[in-house]
């Protein structure tokens, strides 16, 4: 009996299996082909990525785990999504990967340790194991099938504990940092996947605008919007790359408002921050702040225009060789000057912007962007000298997302500004001489937003 057979995942309410049934279940099953025998997506890039990683740790054994299932409640698990570094090195992105581990041997050979499809004449895992069994969660490849699709030597996960120790990306800080740093520059295939993610996200935003009449009628309109966007994400890709933020009115002043349990009022703005994650697991991260009536009020437009000016300044600062922090500083200078013009900032702009002060940050709260890729906050383990204190390079993809969050209870603000939150977030790829706006299909100026909403709300329903 294998180590795994001793640990069939059965539930307290599963009926016992008689020996007669166990015998009957071993018999008369036809051969079934795997759902696909083609190479994993992005196959051509994978060997080069693994070689670049191995070259950073010569003579060492590296373990890159896909991760484990996590319990949602009792015996139900969350849907599985492999770790991004594992997906980046193997091309394997599916729900059938929990527990699997990629090993780079000291000589650089890559071996995939996986839980192969259980045999029909074996321990009955295929119909008895509710966590991994084929009749519970779907067919998984056997070792030969996995070797064909990945081009890797494949071995049974049961053999993994017998390997000599190595660095494990799950708890080795240096390996995790290098994996993040290697992913900072996207190749053309990755940029194409990110463009797909952005394009589906644009469609999701259009769906949301079309759904506004229904959402406005529902007592939890924010949830309605979340549901509409998430339907598109799940239909076109793997799902959302992070929890959708659908924040109406003052909820927009909560940076990660994902409770989404509020109603919508036509006098409010709706901040929608959402991204589709493709089947290859690349995600978009886009925010639009929309007037729920279809028209910005004068004060809403004033805040919106200042955030847009900040975003324009941030985008203009993107180019190879610029410091990563430059675009943030460009956004913040515009916001601080605007706040000073409104009489909100009561100290000189230079002082507010200085490192020792930063008083304007009461109204901006967070930084103005981050790397984007397989993770929404991509490459997060990269060392500061490569990322936060580094310079931009062609092929990096990032967000520019300034915002103003004018809290409803902030007595430093004139009453008409209180409770307004605006963020405008777009995705850009650094090019040879600047940056390309990947999310240009969505309007950014207040006039263009109104016109776009008009067109969607008066146009024919889409299939
Ligand atoms: N949606 C998370 C972020 O914008 O960073
Ligand atoms: Mn973001
Ligand atoms: Mn976002």
């Amino acid at each position: 009996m294998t180590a795994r057979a001793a640990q069939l995942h059965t539930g307290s309410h599963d009926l016992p299996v008689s020996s007669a049934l166990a015998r009957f279940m071993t018999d008369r099953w036809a051969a079934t082909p795997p759902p696909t025998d083609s190479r994993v997506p992005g196959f051509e890039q994978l060997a080069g990525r693994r070689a670049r990683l191995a070259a950073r740790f010569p003579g060492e054994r590296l373990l890159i785990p896909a991760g484990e299932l996590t319990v949602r409640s009792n015996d139900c698990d969350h849907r599985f999504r492999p770790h991004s570094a594992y997906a980046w090195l193997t091309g394997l992105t599916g729900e059938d990967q929990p527990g699997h581990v990629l090993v780079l041997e000291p000589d650089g050979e890559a071996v995939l340790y996986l839980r192969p499809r259980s045999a029909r004449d074996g321990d009955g895992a295929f119909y008895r194991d509710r966590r991994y069994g084929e009749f519970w969660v779907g067919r998984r490849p056997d070792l030969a099938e996995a070797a064909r699709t990945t081009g890797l030597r494949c071995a049974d996960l049961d053999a993994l504990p017998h390997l000599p120790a190595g660095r494990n990306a799950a708890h080795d800080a240096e390996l995790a940092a290098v994996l993040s740093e290697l992913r900072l520059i996207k190749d053309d295939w990755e940029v194409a996947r990110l463009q797909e993610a952005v394009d589906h996200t644009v469609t999701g935003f259009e769906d949301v605008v079309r759904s506004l009449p229904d959402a406005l009628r529902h007592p939890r309109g924010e949830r309605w919007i979340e549901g509409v966007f998430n339907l598109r994400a799940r239909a076109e890709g793997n799902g959302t790359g992070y929890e959708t933020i659908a924040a109406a009115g003052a909820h927009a002043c909560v940076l990660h408002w994902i409770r989404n349990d509020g109603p919508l009022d036509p006098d409010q703005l709706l901040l929608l921050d959402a991204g589709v994650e493709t089947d290859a697991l690349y995600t978009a991260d886009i925010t639009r702040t929309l007037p729920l009536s279809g028209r910005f009020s004068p004060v809403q437009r004033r805040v919106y225009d200042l955030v847009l000016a900040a975003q324009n300044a941030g985008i203009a600062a993107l180019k190879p060789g610029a410091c990563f922090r430059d675009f943030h500083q460009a956004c913040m200078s515009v916001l601080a000057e605007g706040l000073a013009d409104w009489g909100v900032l009561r100290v000189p702009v230079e002082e507010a912007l200085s490192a020792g002060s930063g008083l304007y940050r009461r109204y901006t709260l967070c930084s103005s962007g981050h790397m984007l890729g397989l993770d929404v906050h991509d490459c997060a383990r990269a060392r500061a000298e490569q990322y936060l204190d580094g310079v931009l390079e062609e092929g990096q993809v990032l967000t520019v997302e300034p915002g103003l969050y004018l809290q409803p209870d902030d007595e430093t603000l004139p009453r008409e500004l209180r409770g307004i939150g605006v963020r405008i977030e777009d995705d850009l790829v650094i090019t040879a001489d600047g940056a390309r706006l990947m999310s240009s299909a969505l309007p950014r100026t207040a006039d263009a937003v109104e016109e776009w909403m008009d067109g969607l709300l008066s146009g024919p329903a889409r299939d």
Side-chain angles (χ1 to χ4, degrees):
M1 188 189 285
T2 65
R4 268 201 311 280
Q7 324 168 344
L8 275 186
H9 296 84
T10 53
S12 55
H13 54 284
D14 291 335
L15 298 175
V17 174
S18 70
S19 47
L21 175 59
R23 265 195 314 280
F24 186 49
M25 289 300 286
T26 62
D27 208 17
R28 296 187 53 192
W29 301 104
T32 59
T36 170
D37 220 6
S38 55
R39 295 291 205 191
V40 290
F43 177 79
E44 290 71 23
Q45 330 300 323
L46 299 171
R49 292 178 191 165
R50 293 190 292 261
R52 289 207 298 287
L53 175 62
R56 298 291 294 273
F57 298 93
E60 295 200 60
R61 174 173 291 103
L62 308 178
L63 283 75
I64 297 95
E68 301 288 347
L69 286 166
T70 52
V71 172
R72 181 182 184 279
S73 74
N74 190 25
D75 62 356
C76 294
D77 296 314
H78 284 285
R79 192 182 284 287
F80 183 75
R81 193 256 194 212
H83 191 282
S84 297
Y86 174 88
W88 188 72
L89 290 165
T90 63
L92 294 165
T93 56
E95 294 183 32
D96 57 350
Q97 298 301 313
H100 296 183
V101 181
L102 174 72
V103 176
L104 297 190
E105 287 293 339
D107 65 1
E109 187 195 20
V111 188
L112 182 65
Y113 287 82
L114 59 99
R115 179 181 289 102
R117 181 177 186 226
S118 68
R120 295 287 167 89
D121 58 357
D123 55 24
F126 70 97
Y127 71 97
R128 295 183 64 186
D129 189 326
R130 57 173 48 242
R131 228 173 176 193
Y132 301 111
E134 185 165 331
F135 288 6
W136 288 88
V137 296
R139 192 187 189 289
R140 59 178 64 253
D142 63 26
L143 293 179
E145 290 162 359
R148 274 200 299 280
T149 57
T150 61
L152 296 171
R153 180 154 81 77
C154 291
D156 193 305
L157 196 51
D158 278 347
L160 189 66
H162 306 298
L163 271 190
R167 284 184 189 258
N168 188 321
H171 26 77
D172 183 293
E174 191 182 351
L175 176 53
V178 169
L179 279 164
S180 263
E181 289 158 10
L182 288 172
R183 284 169 41 208
L184 278 166
I185 296 180
K186 276 63 184 175
D187 58 40
D188 291 347
W189 186 87
E190 292 183 286
V191 173
R193 301 292 76 72
L194 281 159
Q195 188 64 58
E196 272 173 26
V198 166
D199 294 346
H200 291 313
T201 300
V202 169
T203 307
F205 275 64
E206 292 168 354
D207 294 342
V208 163
V209 172
R210 278 194 207 91
S211 79
L212 284 179
D214 287 336
L216 279 155
R217 276 193 292 274
H218 197 279
R220 292 206 293 184
E222 290 177 345
R223 284 280 165 95
W224 194 274
I225 282 164
E226 173 190 328
V228 168
F229 185 84
N230 291 12
L231 168 62
R232 179 61 67 180
R234 192 78 186 127
E236 308 297 352
N238 187 49
T240 55
Y242 53 92
E243 297 293 340
T244 295
I245 297 167
H251 288 164
C253 301
V254 180
L255 293 172
H256 287 173
W257 175 258
I258 59 171
R259 294 183 205 168
N260 300 345
D261 59 358
L264 310 181
D265 182 306
D267 291 338
Q268 294 173 325
L269 296 174
L270 170 77
L271 184 155
L272 176 63
D273 181 342
V276 173
E277 178 183 89
T278 65
D279 289 335
L281 305 185
Y282 288 82
T283 189
D285 179 13
I286 297 179
T287 306
R288 285 295 179 270
T289 307
L290 311 172
L292 283 166
S293 65
R295 290 282 176 276
F296 289 94
S297 72
V299 68
Q300 289 169 346
R301 187 178 272 256
R302 181 148 64 95
V303 179
Y304 188 93
D305 285 349
L306 179 54
V307 175
L308 180 65
Q311 198 202 29
N312 285 334
I315 290 173
L318 298 177
K319 59 176 184 213
C323 295
F324 176 80
R325 289 177 190 250
D326 287 354
F327 78 91
H328 173 68
Q329 284 311 326
C331 292
M332 291 304 135
S333 298
V334 173
L335 292 179
E337 277 164 28
L339 289 165
D341 288 348
W342 294 348
V344 167
L345 259 191
R346 296 195 187 93
V347 295
V349 173
E350 299 70 37
E351 181 187 330
L353 284 168
S354 69
S357 161
L359 292 191
Y360 70 95
R361 292 173 61 184
R362 179 174 174 121
Y363 314 104
T364 62
L365 298 181
C366 69
S367 82
S368 306
H370 51 83
M371 297 294 172
L372 184 69
L374 283 162
D375 293 314
V376 61
H377 296 157
D378 208 37
C379 310
R381 304 289 295 273
R383 285 161 284 206
E385 59 267 30
Q386 302 276 329
Y387 185 176
L388 188 60
D389 298 329
V391 294
L392 299 177
E393 292 185 59
E394 187 174 355
Q396 291 179 338
V397 175
L398 74 175
T399 69
V400 178
E401 52 172 307
L404 280 175
Y405 310 98
L406 309 174
Q407 304 295 335
D409 54 349
D410 188 338
E411 293 184 337
T412 69
L413 293 168
R415 280 196 187 281
E416 77 270 16
L417 289 176
R418 294 185 199 169
I420 296 179
V422 173
R423 175 160 67 250
I424 309 172
E425 177 172 25
D426 282 275
D427 303 341
L428 299 106
V429 56
I430 305 293
T431 57
D433 55 1
R436 179 169 67 78
L437 184 61
M438 301 175 78
S439 39
S440 60
L442 282 177
R444 291 195 305 122
T445 66
D447 283 347
V449 166
E450 290 179 352
E451 197 180 322
W452 171 74
M453 291 180 73
D454 263 355
L456 290 166
L457 288 165
S458 59
R462 187 192 166 116
D463 291 341

